[in-house]
PDB file of all heavy atoms in Angstrom:
ATOM      1  N   GLY A   1      67.632  94.733 127.735  1.00 97.00           N
ATOM      2  CA  GLY A   1      68.607  93.734 128.154  1.00 97.00           C
ATOM      3  C   GLY A   1      69.718  94.241 129.036  1.00 97.00           C
ATOM      4  O   GLY A   1      70.807  93.648 129.085  1.00 97.00           O
ATOM      5  N   GLY A   2      69.475  95.331 129.773  1.00 96.00           N
ATOM      6  CA  GLY A   2      70.517  95.885 130.621  1.00 96.00           C
ATOM      7  C   GLY A   2      70.546  95.264 132.011  1.00 96.00           C
ATOM      8  O   GLY A   2      69.627  94.542 132.403  1.00 96.00           O
ATOM      9  N   THR A   3      71.607  95.553 132.727  1.00 95.00           N
ATOM     10  CA  THR A   3      71.741  95.073 134.107  1.00 95.00           C
ATOM     11  C   THR A   3      71.894  96.233 135.090  1.00 95.00           C
ATOM     12  O   THR A   3      72.324  96.045 136.219  1.00 95.00           O
ATOM     13  CB  THR A   3      72.944  94.133 134.235  1.00 95.00           C
ATOM     14  OG1 THR A   3      74.136  94.851 133.857  1.00 95.00           O
ATOM     15  CG2 THR A   3      72.780  92.900 133.355  1.00 95.00           C
ATOM     16  N   THR A   4      71.537  97.434 134.647  1.00 96.00           N
ATOM     17  CA  THR A   4      71.683  98.610 135.492  1.00 96.00           C
ATOM     18  C   THR A   4      70.804  98.497 136.730  1.00 96.00           C
ATOM     19  O   THR A   4      69.614  98.196 136.629  1.00 96.00           O
ATOM     20  CB  THR A   4      71.283  99.875 134.705  1.00 96.00           C
ATOM     21  OG1 THR A   4      72.039  99.939 133.502  1.00 96.00           O
ATOM     22  CG2 THR A   4      71.538 101.122 135.529  1.00 96.00           C
ATOM     23  N   GLU A   5      71.384  98.768 137.888  1.00 97.00           N
ATOM     24  CA  GLU A   5      70.602  98.796 139.122  1.00 97.00           C
ATOM     25  C   GLU A   5      69.982 100.181 139.279  1.00 97.00           C
ATOM     26  O   GLU A   5      70.675 101.201 139.235  1.00 97.00           O
ATOM     27  CB  GLU A   5      71.504  98.511 140.331  1.00 97.00           C
ATOM     28  CG  GLU A   5      70.759  98.617 141.658  1.00 97.00           C
ATOM     29  CD  GLU A   5      71.666  98.583 142.859  1.00 97.00           C
ATOM     30  OE1 GLU A   5      72.893  98.400 142.678  1.00 97.00           O
ATOM     31  OE2 GLU A   5      71.156  98.765 143.989  1.00 97.00           O
ATOM     32  N   LEU A   6      68.665 100.229 139.450  1.00 98.00           N
ATOM     33  CA  LEU A   6      67.972 101.482 139.699  1.00 98.00           C
ATOM     34  C   LEU A   6      68.061 101.813 141.187  1.00 98.00           C
ATOM     35  O   LEU A   6      67.606 101.040 142.027  1.00 98.00           O
ATOM     36  CB  LEU A   6      66.504 101.376 139.277  1.00 98.00           C
ATOM     37  CG  LEU A   6      66.251 101.308 137.770  1.00 98.00           C
ATOM     38  CD1 LEU A   6      64.839 100.816 137.488  1.00 98.00           C
ATOM     39  CD2 LEU A   6      66.470 102.680 137.131  1.00 98.00           C
ATOM     40  N   VAL A   7      68.666 102.955 141.495  1.00 98.00           N
ATOM     41  CA  VAL A   7      68.791 103.397 142.880  1.00 98.00           C
ATOM     42  C   VAL A   7      67.791 104.524 143.090  1.00 98.00           C
ATOM     43  O   VAL A   7      67.975 105.642 142.590  1.00 98.00           O
ATOM     44  CB  VAL A   7      70.223 103.876 143.183  1.00 98.00           C
ATOM     45  CG1 VAL A   7      70.328 104.309 144.634  1.00 98.00           C
ATOM     46  CG2 VAL A   7      71.231 102.783 142.859  1.00 98.00           C
ATOM     47  N   TRP A   8      66.721 104.230 143.821  1.00 98.00           N
ATOM     48  CA  TRP A   8      65.631 105.193 143.992  1.00 98.00           C
ATOM     49  C   TRP A   8      65.980 106.178 145.105  1.00 98.00           C
ATOM     50  O   TRP A   8      66.050 105.821 146.270  1.00 98.00           O
ATOM     51  CB  TRP A   8      64.328 104.456 144.278  1.00 98.00           C
ATOM     52  CG  TRP A   8      63.883 103.633 143.111  1.00 98.00           C
ATOM     53  CD1 TRP A   8      64.205 102.331 142.852  1.00 98.00           C
ATOM     54  CD2 TRP A   8      63.082 104.079 142.024  1.00 98.00           C
ATOM     55  NE1 TRP A   8      63.638 101.924 141.662  1.00 98.00           N
ATOM     56  CE2 TRP A   8      62.943 102.983 141.138  1.00 98.00           C
ATOM     57  CE3 TRP A   8      62.458 105.281 141.705  1.00 98.00           C
ATOM     58  CZ2 TRP A   8      62.206 103.053 139.953  1.00 98.00           C
ATOM     59  CZ3 TRP A   8      61.714 105.366 140.527  1.00 98.00           C
ATOM     60  CH2 TRP A   8      61.599 104.267 139.668  1.00 98.00           C
ATOM     61  N   LEU A   9      66.189 107.436 144.732  1.00 98.00           N
ATOM     62  CA  LEU A   9      66.573 108.475 145.672  1.00 98.00           C
ATOM     63  C   LEU A   9      65.391 109.388 145.976  1.00 98.00           C
ATOM     64  O   LEU A   9      64.625 109.758 145.082  1.00 98.00           O
ATOM     65  CB  LEU A   9      67.731 109.309 145.108  1.00 98.00           C
ATOM     66  CG  LEU A   9      69.025 108.544 144.815  1.00 98.00           C
ATOM     67  CD1 LEU A   9      70.111 109.515 144.373  1.00 98.00           C
ATOM     68  CD2 LEU A   9      69.485 107.759 146.035  1.00 98.00           C
ATOM     69  N   ASP A  10      65.273 109.767 147.237  1.00 96.00           N
ATOM     70  CA  ASP A  10      64.191 110.619 147.692  1.00 96.00           C
ATOM     71  C   ASP A  10      64.236 111.966 146.979  1.00 96.00           C
ATOM     72  O   ASP A  10      65.319 112.540 146.777  1.00 96.00           O
ATOM     73  CB  ASP A  10      64.312 110.821 149.209  1.00 96.00           C
ATOM     74  CG  ASP A  10      63.200 111.680 149.757  1.00 96.00           C
ATOM     75  OD1 ASP A  10      62.081 111.170 149.929  1.00 96.00           O
ATOM     76  OD2 ASP A  10      63.462 112.876 149.998  1.00 96.00           O
ATOM     77  N   GLU A  11      63.056 112.486 146.607  1.00 94.00           N
ATOM     78  CA  GLU A  11      63.044 113.722 145.840  1.00 94.00           C
ATOM     79  C   GLU A  11      63.523 114.917 146.660  1.00 94.00           C
ATOM     80  O   GLU A  11      64.081 115.866 146.088  1.00 94.00           O
ATOM     81  CB  GLU A  11      61.658 113.983 145.253  1.00 94.00           C
ATOM     82  CG  GLU A  11      60.551 114.221 146.231  1.00 94.00           C
ATOM     83  CD  GLU A  11      59.220 114.401 145.519  1.00 94.00           C
ATOM     84  OE1 GLU A  11      59.031 113.873 144.404  1.00 94.00           O
ATOM     85  OE2 GLU A  11      58.362 115.086 146.084  1.00 94.00           O
ATOM     86  N   THR A  12      63.365 114.888 147.976  1.00 96.00           N
ATOM     87  CA  THR A  12      63.907 115.967 148.804  1.00 96.00           C
ATOM     88  C   THR A  12      65.429 116.016 148.675  1.00 96.00           C
ATOM     89  O   THR A  12      66.030 117.098 148.545  1.00 96.00           O
ATOM     90  CB  THR A  12      63.504 115.778 150.268  1.00 96.00           C
ATOM     91  OG1 THR A  12      62.079 115.788 150.369  1.00 96.00           O
ATOM     92  CG2 THR A  12      64.087 116.884 151.138  1.00 96.00           C
ATOM     93  N   PHE A  13      66.060 114.852 148.710  1.00 97.00           N
ATOM     94  CA  PHE A  13      67.517 114.782 148.531  1.00 97.00           C
ATOM     95  C   PHE A  13      67.913 115.313 147.152  1.00 97.00           C
ATOM     96  O   PHE A  13      68.870 116.089 147.017  1.00 97.00           O
ATOM     97  CB  PHE A  13      67.994 113.346 148.700  1.00 97.00           C
ATOM     98  CG  PHE A  13      69.421 113.121 148.294  1.00 97.00           C
ATOM     99  CD1 PHE A  13      70.461 113.502 149.114  1.00 97.00           C
ATOM    100  CD2 PHE A  13      69.713 112.529 147.063  1.00 97.00           C
ATOM    101  CE1 PHE A  13      71.787 113.300 148.725  1.00 97.00           C
ATOM    102  CE2 PHE A  13      71.030 112.319 146.672  1.00 97.00           C
ATOM    103  CZ  PHE A  13      72.066 112.716 147.509  1.00 97.00           C
ATOM    104  N   LEU A  14      67.182 114.916 146.123  1.00 97.00           N
ATOM    105  CA  LEU A  14      67.495 115.365 144.767  1.00 97.00           C
ATOM    106  C   LEU A  14      67.361 116.880 144.652  1.00 97.00           C
ATOM    107  O   LEU A  14      68.188 117.534 144.004  1.00 97.00           O
ATOM    108  CB  LEU A  14      66.579 114.664 143.763  1.00 97.00           C
ATOM    109  CG  LEU A  14      66.779 113.158 143.626  1.00 97.00           C
ATOM    110  CD1 LEU A  14      65.675 112.547 142.760  1.00 97.00           C
ATOM    111  CD2 LEU A  14      68.149 112.838 143.026  1.00 97.00           C
ATOM    112  N   GLN A  15      66.337 117.433 145.280  1.00 97.00           N
ATOM    113  CA  GLN A  15      66.167 118.884 145.243  1.00 97.00           C
ATOM    114  C   GLN A  15      67.280 119.587 146.001  1.00 97.00           C
ATOM    115  O   GLN A  15      67.782 120.625 145.556  1.00 97.00           O
ATOM    116  CB  GLN A  15      64.791 119.249 145.817  1.00 97.00           C
ATOM    117  CG  GLN A  15      63.636 118.823 144.918  1.00 97.00           C
ATOM    118  CD  GLN A  15      62.284 118.947 145.597  1.00 97.00           C
ATOM    119  OE1 GLN A  15      62.151 118.711 146.803  1.00 97.00           O
ATOM    120  NE2 GLN A  15      61.265 119.320 144.837  1.00 97.00           N
ATOM    121  N   GLU A  16      67.693 119.015 147.137  1.00 96.00           N
ATOM    122  CA  GLU A  16      68.805 119.603 147.894  1.00 96.00           C
ATOM    123  C   GLU A  16      70.098 119.603 147.086  1.00 96.00           C
ATOM    124  O   GLU A  16      70.944 120.483 147.245  1.00 96.00           O
ATOM    125  CB  GLU A  16      68.995 118.837 149.200  1.00 96.00           C
ATOM    126  CG  GLU A  16      67.876 119.037 150.207  1.00 96.00           C
ATOM    127  CD  GLU A  16      68.008 118.109 151.404  1.00 96.00           C
ATOM    128  OE1 GLU A  16      68.843 117.163 151.327  1.00 96.00           O
ATOM    129  OE2 GLU A  16      67.288 118.311 152.401  1.00 96.00           O
ATOM    130  N   GLN A  17      70.246 118.615 146.212  1.00 96.00           N
ATOM    131  CA  GLN A  17      71.439 118.518 145.357  1.00 96.00           C
ATOM    132  C   GLN A  17      71.331 119.387 144.105  1.00 96.00           C
ATOM    133  O   GLN A  17      72.261 119.426 143.300  1.00 96.00           O
ATOM    134  CB  GLN A  17      71.665 117.058 144.954  1.00 96.00           C
ATOM    135  CG  GLN A  17      71.935 116.124 146.128  1.00 96.00           C
ATOM    136  CD  GLN A  17      73.195 116.487 146.882  1.00 96.00           C
ATOM    137  OE1 GLN A  17      74.241 116.728 146.282  1.00 96.00           O
ATOM    138  NE2 GLN A  17      73.096 116.549 148.212  1.00 96.00           N
ATOM    139  N   GLY A  18      70.196 120.068 143.954  1.00 97.00           N
ATOM    140  CA  GLY A  18      70.032 120.975 142.821  1.00 97.00           C
ATOM    141  C   GLY A  18      69.785 120.288 141.489  1.00 97.00           C
ATOM    142  O   GLY A  18      70.084 120.864 140.430  1.00 97.00           O
ATOM    143  N   ILE A  19      69.221 119.096 141.517  1.00 97.00           N
ATOM    144  CA  ILE A  19      68.972 118.369 140.268  1.00 97.00           C
ATOM    145  C   ILE A  19      67.797 118.992 139.524  1.00 97.00           C
ATOM    146  O   ILE A  19      66.742 119.265 140.102  1.00 97.00           O
ATOM    147  CB  ILE A  19      68.689 116.879 140.560  1.00 97.00           C
ATOM    148  CG1 ILE A  19      69.898 116.247 141.237  1.00 97.00           C
ATOM    149  CG2 ILE A  19      68.325 116.126 139.284  1.00 97.00           C
ATOM    150  CD1 ILE A  19      71.158 116.302 140.406  1.00 97.00           C
ATOM    151  N   GLY A  20      67.983 119.216 138.247  1.00 96.00           N
ATOM    152  CA  GLY A  20      66.925 119.790 137.431  1.00 96.00           C
ATOM    153  C   GLY A  20      65.859 118.770 137.088  1.00 96.00           C
ATOM    154  O   GLY A  20      66.161 117.620 136.755  1.00 96.00           O
ATOM    155  N   GLU A  21      64.602 119.186 137.163  1.00 95.00           N
ATOM    156  CA  GLU A  21      63.492 118.277 136.891  1.00 95.00           C
ATOM    157  C   GLU A  21      63.228 118.122 135.399  1.00 95.00           C
ATOM    158  O   GLU A  21      63.639 118.947 134.584  1.00 95.00           O
ATOM    159  CB  GLU A  21      62.222 118.789 137.577  1.00 95.00           C
ATOM    160  CG  GLU A  21      61.751 120.143 137.056  1.00 95.00           C
ATOM    161  CD  GLU A  21      60.517 120.644 137.776  1.00 95.00           C
ATOM    162  OE1 GLU A  21      60.426 120.468 139.013  1.00 95.00           O
ATOM    163  OE2 GLU A  21      59.630 121.211 137.101  1.00 95.00           O
ATOM    164  N   TRP A  22      62.602 117.035 135.044  1.00 96.00           N
ATOM    165  CA  TRP A  22      62.042 116.756 133.718  1.00 96.00           C
ATOM    166  C   TRP A  22      63.090 116.488 132.647  1.00 96.00           C
ATOM    167  O   TRP A  22      62.943 115.606 131.824  1.00 96.00           O
ATOM    168  CB  TRP A  22      61.102 117.875 133.281  1.00 96.00           C
ATOM    169  CG  TRP A  22      60.043 117.470 132.308  1.00 96.00           C
ATOM    170  CD1 TRP A  22      59.777 118.043 131.086  1.00 96.00           C
ATOM    171  CD2 TRP A  22      59.075 116.423 132.458  1.00 96.00           C
ATOM    172  NE1 TRP A  22      58.709 117.411 130.473  1.00 96.00           N
ATOM    173  CE2 TRP A  22      58.265 116.411 131.306  1.00 96.00           C
ATOM    174  CE3 TRP A  22      58.840 115.472 133.458  1.00 96.00           C
ATOM    175  CZ2 TRP A  22      57.227 115.500 131.123  1.00 96.00           C
ATOM    176  CZ3 TRP A  22      57.798 114.567 133.289  1.00 96.00           C
ATOM    177  CH2 TRP A  22      57.015 114.592 132.126  1.00 96.00           C
ATOM    178  N   TYR A  23      64.197 117.256 132.656  1.00 96.00           N
ATOM    179  CA  TYR A  23      65.221 117.046 131.640  1.00 96.00           C
ATOM    180  C   TYR A  23      66.535 116.546 132.231  1.00 96.00           C
ATOM    181  O   TYR A  23      67.073 115.536 131.764  1.00 96.00           O
ATOM    182  CB  TYR A  23      65.450 118.318 130.808  1.00 96.00           C
ATOM    183  CG  TYR A  23      64.419 118.481 129.728  1.00 96.00           C
ATOM    184  CD1 TYR A  23      63.282 119.247 129.933  1.00 96.00           C
ATOM    185  CD2 TYR A  23      64.554 117.834 128.502  1.00 96.00           C
ATOM    186  CE1 TYR A  23      62.311 119.372 128.948  1.00 96.00           C
ATOM    187  CE2 TYR A  23      63.601 117.957 127.509  1.00 96.00           C
ATOM    188  CZ  TYR A  23      62.476 118.723 127.737  1.00 96.00           C
ATOM    189  OH  TYR A  23      61.516 118.823 126.763  1.00 96.00           O
ATOM    190  N   GLU A  24      67.093 117.239 133.230  1.00 97.00           N
ATOM    191  CA  GLU A  24      68.368 116.740 133.763  1.00 97.00           C
ATOM    192  C   GLU A  24      68.181 115.330 134.323  1.00 97.00           C
ATOM    193  O   GLU A  24      69.000 114.443 134.064  1.00 97.00           O
ATOM    194  CB  GLU A  24      68.939 117.648 134.849  1.00 97.00           C
ATOM    195  CG  GLU A  24      70.312 117.153 135.314  1.00 97.00           C
ATOM    196  CD  GLU A  24      70.964 118.014 136.371  1.00 97.00           C
ATOM    197  OE1 GLU A  24      70.264 118.850 136.978  1.00 97.00           O
ATOM    198  OE2 GLU A  24      72.175 117.850 136.601  1.00 97.00           O
ATOM    199  N   LEU A  25      67.112 115.133 135.093  1.00 98.00           N
ATOM    200  CA  LEU A  25      66.714 113.781 135.493  1.00 98.00           C
ATOM    201  C   LEU A  25      65.409 113.508 134.761  1.00 98.00           C
ATOM    202  O   LEU A  25      64.331 113.881 135.214  1.00 98.00           O
ATOM    203  CB  LEU A  25      66.546 113.676 137.006  1.00 98.00           C
ATOM    204  CG  LEU A  25      66.235 112.272 137.551  1.00 98.00           C
ATOM    205  CD1 LEU A  25      67.195 111.227 136.984  1.00 98.00           C
ATOM    206  CD2 LEU A  25      66.279 112.268 139.064  1.00 98.00           C
ATOM    207  N   PRO A  26      65.494 112.872 133.611  1.00 98.00           N
ATOM    208  CA  PRO A  26      64.349 112.804 132.709  1.00 98.00           C
ATOM    209  C   PRO A  26      63.112 112.168 133.337  1.00 98.00           C
ATOM    210  O   PRO A  26      63.203 111.168 134.048  1.00 98.00           O
ATOM    211  CB  PRO A  26      64.877 111.956 131.543  1.00 98.00           C
ATOM    212  CG  PRO A  26      66.356 112.173 131.560  1.00 98.00           C
ATOM    213  CD  PRO A  26      66.704 112.276 133.023  1.00 98.00           C
ATOM    214  N   LEU A  27      61.973 112.809 133.063  1.00 97.00           N
ATOM    215  CA  LEU A  27      60.641 112.355 133.483  1.00 97.00           C
ATOM    216  C   LEU A  27      60.385 112.553 134.971  1.00 97.00           C
ATOM    217  O   LEU A  27      59.356 112.103 135.487  1.00 97.00           O
ATOM    218  CB  LEU A  27      60.395 110.890 133.099  1.00 97.00           C
ATOM    219  CG  LEU A  27      60.593 110.539 131.617  1.00 97.00           C
ATOM    220  CD1 LEU A  27      60.282 109.061 131.389  1.00 97.00           C
ATOM    221  CD2 LEU A  27      59.726 111.421 130.721  1.00 97.00           C
ATOM    222  N   TRP A  28      61.293 113.243 135.676  1.00 97.00           N
ATOM    223  CA  TRP A  28      61.078 113.547 137.090  1.00 97.00           C
ATOM    224  C   TRP A  28      60.374 114.887 137.196  1.00 97.00           C
ATOM    225  O   TRP A  28      60.886 115.906 136.753  1.00 97.00           O
ATOM    226  CB  TRP A  28      62.421 113.604 137.821  1.00 97.00           C
ATOM    227  CG  TRP A  28      62.299 114.009 139.269  1.00 97.00           C
ATOM    228  CD1 TRP A  28      61.420 113.529 140.193  1.00 97.00           C
ATOM    229  CD2 TRP A  28      63.102 114.984 139.955  1.00 97.00           C
ATOM    230  NE1 TRP A  28      61.621 114.135 141.412  1.00 97.00           N
ATOM    231  CE2 TRP A  28      62.651 115.032 141.295  1.00 97.00           C
ATOM    232  CE3 TRP A  28      64.156 115.803 139.569  1.00 97.00           C
ATOM    233  CZ2 TRP A  28      63.215 115.869 142.244  1.00 97.00           C
ATOM    234  CZ3 TRP A  28      64.726 116.642 140.516  1.00 97.00           C
ATOM    235  CH2 TRP A  28      64.262 116.666 141.839  1.00 97.00           C
ATOM    236  N   LEU A  29      59.177 114.882 137.794  1.00 95.00           N
ATOM    237  CA  LEU A  29      58.371 116.085 137.918  1.00 95.00           C
ATOM    238  C   LEU A  29      57.881 116.180 139.363  1.00 95.00           C
ATOM    239  O   LEU A  29      56.765 115.762 139.683  1.00 95.00           O
ATOM    240  CB  LEU A  29      57.189 116.020 136.947  1.00 95.00           C
ATOM    241  CG  LEU A  29      56.481 117.323 136.588  1.00 95.00           C
ATOM    242  CD1 LEU A  29      57.471 118.304 135.956  1.00 95.00           C
ATOM    243  CD2 LEU A  29      55.343 117.050 135.622  1.00 95.00           C
ATOM    244  N   PRO A  30      58.697 116.720 140.269  1.00 95.00           N
ATOM    245  CA  PRO A  30      58.377 116.677 141.693  1.00 95.00           C
ATOM    246  C   PRO A  30      57.336 117.685 142.157  1.00 95.00           C
ATOM    247  O   PRO A  30      56.745 117.506 143.227  1.00 95.00           O
ATOM    248  CB  PRO A  30      59.725 116.955 142.358  1.00 95.00           C
ATOM    249  CG  PRO A  30      60.464 117.795 141.363  1.00 95.00           C
ATOM    250  CD  PRO A  30      60.052 117.270 140.022  1.00 95.00           C
TER     251      PRO A  30
END
């Protein structure tokens, strides 16, 4: 029942920002 907007960000951008896979951004496995 949430209203959160999902903002889909490119994985190259996420990697450039140093985001950790699988746990920091859960279920992301690039």
Side-chain angles (χ1 to χ4, degrees):
T3 60
T4 305
E5 176 190 356
L6 289 164
V7 181
W8 294 90
L9 299 185
D10 181 78
E11 64 183 27
T12 300
F13 169 77
L14 294 171
Q15 291 169 324
E16 290 172 348
Q17 298 298 313
I19 299 300
E21 63 182 40
W22 206 234
Y23 279 94
E24 184 179 15
L25 185 49
L27 305 181
W28 176 47
L29 199 59

